[in-house]
Structures are given as C-alpha cells and as structure tokens.
Amino acid sequence: MSRLTGAEVYVYGQIAEGLAIADDAQPTIERLREAGLILQDPFQPSGWVAVPFGEVETRLREIVQQQLELTTQQLAEIPLLVEQLRACHPMRARGGDGIAQWVDGKEAVNAAIALAVDSARHELLTAQPGPRPKRVISLSTDRDKDAVERGVVVRTLYSASSRSNPAAVERVNLLTAAGAAFRTLPRAFMRLIMVDREIAIIEDHADGRPSFEGAYLVRDRAVCGFFAAAFEIEWRLGLDWHSEEPTTQQRSTVTTPLQRTILRELCAGKDQQQIAKILGYSAKTVNTALSDLRTRLGVATVYQVVAWWAGPEGAAEQAIDQL
C-alpha cells in the first residue's frame, strides 16, 4: 500500500484517536492491518491501535522485503519448471497457430528426427546441404537403413562437396546397396527432412537467417505438400551420386556448376568465405574455381567476372541449370 484512500485515512484517524469504528468499516480495517498500520488491541474502543510512527516505515519495509524475496524465489524456480516440462516433451510452441512446433536444442532435434523417421511408412525425403560430422552420419545411416529395410522409399539430396567426404561416401554406398537413392547439387539449397509427406523438420529462418540451435517440426498437410514439391524440383536438377560430374567440355559451357553457384551467391551479396561455408567447400576451392574462370574468360578480377555474368553471355550460362 503506497497511499491511503480517503476512507482508509478516515478510519485510521478514528483508530489513532481511540474512537469506536462503525461495523461496515471492517473491510477498510482489514486493509490497514495487512499494510501493517494497525494492531489488534481488545482494550481499545475500536479493538485496534495505530502502530507508532517510528515503527511504520520499518514494518512496511519488512513486508515489501518479504514480497520481494518470495518473487525472487518464484523467478528462480521458473527455469527448473521449464526443464522438467522439456524432459517430458522436447518440443515447445514458438508462436504460430500450432502448425509448427519449435524443437529447442540440437539433441532434442536429433531425438525428434529419430522419432519421425522411425514412424515412416512410405517415404523419407532428405535434403542435407553442407558438411555433416561423422558421428551424425553414422547415427542417421543405421536409422535410414532400418527404414529402407521396412520398405520405405529413401531419397537424399546432398551438396556436391559431400562427394569428397569419406563418411558420406561410405554411407551412400551402404544405403544405395540397400535401395536408397542419392543425388547432389553444386549450389545452396534448404535443409529438410520429410516423412510420408506428413511431417517436415526444417531450419529456423524466422529471423531472416538460419539458426542451428533448434528446428521447426511441421505437421500441416498443405505445408508439407509444398515442401515436398520444392524437394522434387531440386531432385530433378540434382546429379545422381554415382554419375560422373559433368565437365565444362562435356557440357560445352564456359562455367562449371560450382562456378555458376558461386557467381549466384556473389550477386546475392555474399563474400567468398561465406559462400565456402554455405556450400561446404574450403575457401581455397572457391578461390580456385573463380581463378579458373578468370583465366578462361581472360579477365583479371572477380568484378570483371561478375560483370560478364550479368551480360548477354552470362545470361545464357545462367539458364543452363534451368533446362
């Protein structure tokens, strides 16, 4: 109580003067008692006595301090409560209308993926851009092999850089023998895991850039259908893992698929370090690809390469991957 109402001031004054109080003033008396301004005294006409002025501030501070301590304790218990709930169910809502659930933390995401894949009945579609640790590849290999053996159609789209990853090569050879299919793309694409076109697990792009601290689990049929259609477009453009990568001479083009991807990313505002990270290549590989293209075009700088890409000859190269 920081200030008294008019009724409270009047009743307090009556008690301080030792006067009797009307019966209908009991609610006001109760508020004054809770505020620590009066004490019960059966020998007074009102049955109450005003707390001496010297003690009022001390009593009020004690009451507020107790309230603060209780609030602090409750705040400290909130994370513990959340952890208890998370242990029971790793997924929590993160806005939206229930179409998507946010899965918080890498371990929780891996657990959600495992549950989804284990429930697969017909189809498993996976798009995995960039490098993946050997431990993660091993876990997913056993899980996907079980799915193939259950009769699930398994198709995986990898970045072209994965062809040089020994763990990825071992996984592809094992699962291909079991009946799975793999293709590669030399350019950036979105990460996706799709089960029976009913469950999709996607990266968090809500803030305009991917976050790797968790993922969204989507169960909406329309949204999952859209993701599946997008996957099919990428799949058709991909190169079968066991096919030989086309060379510039084979395709009768000026640029390689990797060079075209790098140029698209450069035009999107990314630097060479960022492009290397996105595609899963080393910075040296990206620099070498650009250097080779400069030599082929007979120009000295990357800026001249980008200018060529934006011109009529470059436009013809840009259309190649859309055929």
Side-chain angles (χ1 to χ4, degrees), residues 82-93 101-105 107-113 115 215 217:
V82 172
E83 287 302 320
Q84 286 179 317
L85 297 176
R86 182 176 295 156
C88 298
H89 199 306
M91 293 172 288
R92 62 179 172 84
Q101 290 176 293
W102 174 248
V103 184
D104 196 11
E107 293 303 320
V109 171
N110 290 333
I113 292 173
L115 288 172
L217 189 148

Side-chain angles (χ1 to χ4, degrees), residues 207-316:
D207 294 326
R209 64 182 188 280
S211 168
F212 302 105
E213 298 307 314
Y216 280 104
L217 189 148
V218 181
R219 294 181 181 273
D220 183 79
R221 182 179 179 185
V223 175
C224 287
F226 179 86
F227 289 150
F231 177 90
E232 294 295 351
I233 293 173
E234 301 283 27
W235 182 259
R236 287 195 294 271
L237 295 174
L239 177 70
D240 183 87
W241 179 283
H242 300 285
S243 299
E244 183 180 355
E245 290 191 84
T247 63
T248 300
Q249 289 74 23
Q250 291 171 330
R251 295 289 298 275
S252 299
T253 60
V254 177
T255 57
T256 66
L258 175 58
Q259 289 167 343
R260 291 192 291 277
T261 298
I262 293 172
L263 287 169
R264 289 189 181 94
E265 296 298 332
L266 284 172
C267 291
K270 298 181 179 65
D271 60 35
Q272 294 177 36
Q273 291 285 347
Q274 292 172 320
I275 295 171
K277 185 174 181 181
I278 290 171
L279 300 181
Y281 287 106
S282 66
K284 181 179 178 181
T285 298
V286 172
N287 291 336
T288 299
L290 288 172
S291 178
D292 291 346
L293 184 55
R294 289 201 309 271
T295 300
R296 185 172 177 80
L297 294 175
V299 299
T301 68
V302 173
Y303 299 107
Q304 290 173 297
V305 173
V306 172
W308 170 84
W309 177 255
E313 294 183 12

Side-chain angles (χ1 to χ4, degrees), residues 10-271:
Y10 175 79
V11 171
Y12 178 83
Q14 295 291 96
I15 293 174
E17 294 179 15
L19 302 176
I21 304 299
D23 293 339
D24 59 2
Q26 288 305 313
T28 303
I29 290 176
E30 183 60 23
R31 291 196 297 271
L32 293 173
R33 183 195 66 77
E34 291 177 352
L37 300 179
I38 60 174
L39 295 173
Q40 209 160 17
D41 185 346
F43 298 104
Q44 298 296 325
S46 63
W48 298 88
V49 64
V51 174
F53 291 128
E55 298 180 18
V56 169
E57 183 176 358
T58 300
R59 291 178 63 85
L60 291 176
R61 287 184 179 275
E62 288 176 352
I63 292 172
V64 173
Q65 183 64 35
Q66 290 172 358
Q67 293 172 340
L68 287 174
E69 290 175 356
L70 178 59
T71 301
T72 301
Q73 180 181 350
Q74 291 173 334
L75 287 173
E77 291 174 352
I78 290 175
L80 298 177
L81 174 60
V82 172
E83 287 302 320
Q84 286 179 317
L85 297 176
R86 182 176 295 156
C88 298
H89 199 306
M91 293 172 288
R92 62 179 172 84
R94 199 185 190 193
D97 54 7
I99 289 177
Q101 290 176 293
W102 174 248
V103 184
D104 196 11
K106 295 180 180 179
E107 293 303 320
V109 171
N110 290 333
I113 292 173
L115 288 172
V117 174
D118 287 345
S119 71
R121 305 182 308 278
H122 310 295
E123 183 182 57
L124 172 61
L125 307 178
T126 306
Q128 293 287 359
R132 301 174 73 203
K134 183 176 181 179
R135 179 183 67 85
V136 175
I137 290 178
S138 297
L139 290 174
S140 62
T141 298
D142 294 338
R143 184 177 64 224
D144 293 357
K145 185 172 183 293
D146 289 341
V148 174
E149 292 174 349
R150 294 198 309 271
V152 176
V153 175
V154 176
R155 288 187 287 158
T156 301
L157 190 63
Y158 274 140
S159 170
S161 62
S162 296
R163 290 172 176 265
S164 60
N165 183 338
V169 172
E170 181 180 356
R171 164 185 163 80
V172 170
N173 290 337
L174 176 64
L175 292 179
T176 299
F182 295 85
R183 291 189 180 185
T184 61
L185 276 176
R187 57 176 174 76
F189 53 92
M190 302 290 287
R191 191 181 307 275
L192 169 72
I193 296 174
M194 171 80 66
V195 175
D196 293 337
R197 308 202 176 202
E198 296 176 353
I199 301 174
I201 298 173
I202 60 174
E203 293 176 327
D204 174 20
H205 287 263
D207 294 326
R209 64 182 188 280
S211 168
F212 302 105
E213 298 307 314
Y216 280 104
L217 189 148
V218 181
R219 294 181 181 273
D220 183 79
R221 182 179 179 185
V223 175
C224 287
F226 179 86
F227 289 150
F231 177 90
E232 294 295 351
I233 293 173
E234 301 283 27
W235 182 259
R236 287 195 294 271
L237 295 174
L239 177 70
D240 183 87
W241 179 283
H242 300 285
S243 299
E244 183 180 355
E245 290 191 84
T247 63
T248 300
Q249 289 74 23
Q250 291 171 330
R251 295 289 298 275
S252 299
T253 60
V254 177
T255 57
T256 66
L258 175 58
Q259 289 167 343
R260 291 192 291 277
T261 298
I262 293 172
L263 287 169
R264 289 189 181 94
E265 296 298 332
L266 284 172
C267 291
K270 298 181 179 65
D271 60 35

